Amino acid sequence: MTQDGIALEAALLGKRYGGRGGRGWALRECDFALPTGRICALVGPNGAGKSTLLALAAGLLRPTEGTLAGPARRHLAYVAQDKPLHPRLSVADTLRMGRELNPGRWDSALAERVVEGGGFSSDTLVRDLSGGQRTRVALALALGKRPELLLLDEPMADLDPLARHQLMGLLMADAAEHGTTVVMSSHILTELEGACDHLILLHGGRVRLDGPVDALLAAHTLLTGPIADLTPHTVVESRTTGRQLTALVRHEGPVEGPWETREPSLEDLLLAHLRTTEGAPA
């Protein structure tokens, strides 16, 4: 169980696959606390541990060390990257199954809204759906359950830009209306900006950044100008071209010096931290 106001909380969380000859640690010493009602972007390079973290949160894996506390399974929904659905069921039968497995909580109207416009009928078999159409059905199952915590692993990767925009809008509006906490991994940075208000950045199986997006952006400054001493600020990334310096710093007070400064965009922040091997202190 998490404390009041916290939807998902990790303490020294670690997950190791296999023994000495296995893959090793996918996650190690992860600490974070995600408040309820937040839309959280889970970001990191391939192999950072994003899918492992989501599977742990869904209760499909057990931690090797530490803890991860969240709501009971009946109060969460999880959409994996491969969108596992029964291939021999029709779309209608799949949604009927969702209703029967979630008595008293199922929202048929919302599930139907998600599958609308997918270019298939309710009697189409799951095995005959395209990747994007399977995504719609998987999201309909997840949202129809009316979860307190919604876990999405690369949910929009199979969708065309228009469908992605429509479904993202529906997801965000519904989450805001019902106070649903959403954790969504994605490689599409523009998909996250403006949609997410919390960020967890994984790098090398560890949490490198965790916090409200506005606070993280305000704590960083992007500066350009002549090469000069950046002490006492934490330099996340710096590049020099001739006598010109471009750097993203995590500042410890006012940034003074002969530079032009601005607050970074979410894309600036993420790319700088992802390009840095070890990442700046969280």
Side-chain angles (χ1 to χ4, degrees):
M1 294 291 292
T2 58
Q3 58 181 303
D4 290 344
I6 300 297
L8 193 64
E9 184 171 17
L12 296 175
L13 177 68
K15 176 62 182 176
R16 182 184 178 94
Y17 289 104
R20 292 183 179 179
R23 287 168 47 193
W25 290 98
L27 294 171
R28 197 76 192 270
E29 299 177 345
C30 292
D31 292 300
F32 65 83
L34 176 64
T36 57
R38 296 294 180 90
I39 309 296
C40 176
L42 179 61
V43 183
N46 291 334
K50 301 186 300 298
S51 294
T52 295
L53 178 57
L54 290 172
L56 285 165
L60 301 181
L61 297 174
R62 290 185 177 181
T64 305
E65 62 182 21
T67 60
L68 182 61
R73 187 173 295 185
R74 67 181 181 277
H75 295 305
L76 64 82
Y78 171 53
V79 178
Q81 283 191 46
D82 55 356
K83 318 296 189 305
L85 299 169
H86 198 296
R88 295 185 180 181
L89 291 181
S90 68
V91 173
D93 288 337
T94 300
L95 297 185
R96 188 177 301 114
M97 177 185 67
R99 184 185 69 225
E100 293 176 357
L101 290 175
N102 297 280
R105 296 181 59 87
W106 183 254
D107 189 331
S108 294
L110 177 58
E112 292 293 341
R113 281 169 56 202
V114 176
V115 298
E116 283 176 3
F120 53 87
S121 64
S122 61
D123 58 358
T124 303
L125 296 180
V126 166
R127 68 186 180 194
D128 296 326
L129 298 175
S130 68
Q133 291 169 336
R134 286 173 62 90
T135 294
R136 280 185 179 269
V137 178
L139 286 172
L141 278 179
L143 288 169
K145 186 178 180 179
R146 278 274 169 247
E148 295 175 6
L149 175 62
L150 179 59
L151 306 167
L152 304 173
D153 195 355
E154 296 286 346
M156 309 294 179
D158 294 326
L159 297 171
D160 62 67
L162 178 58
R164 185 182 302 131
H165 177 76
Q166 292 172 336
L167 286 178
M168 183 64 77
L170 188 154
L171 171 64
M172 295 300 105
D174 185 76
E177 180 180 353
H178 294 91
T180 309
T181 305
V182 181
V183 182
M184 177 173 61
S185 73
S186 178
H187 284 104
I188 306 172
L189 299 184
T190 55
E191 182 175 273
L192 303 174
E193 192 142 22
C196 299
D197 56 13
H198 197 95
L199 173 69
I200 296 176
L201 173 64
L202 291 176
H203 197 297
R206 299 174 187 266
V207 175
R208 301 299 184 184
L209 287 174
D210 166 40
V213 170
D214 288 346
L216 290 174
L217 292 177
H220 290 75
T221 298
L222 191 65
L223 56 86
T224 57
I227 298 173
D229 185 12
L230 292 173
T231 306
H233 310 298
T234 300
V235 179
V236 177
E237 181 190 41
S238 66
R239 297 186 298 264
T240 58
T241 304
R243 297 182 180 180
Q244 186 82 1
L245 172 72
T246 301
L248 179 72
V249 301
R250 186 158 188 164
H251 49 78
E252 305 297 334
V255 179
E256 298 177 351
W259 304 295
E260 293 182 10
T261 63
R262 67 173 176 86
E263 184 175 291
S265 66
L266 181 59
E267 185 174 14
D268 292 330
L269 179 72
L270 292 175
L271 288 177
H273 277 276
L274 290 173
R275 284 192 294 253
T276 304
T277 302
E278 294 300 328

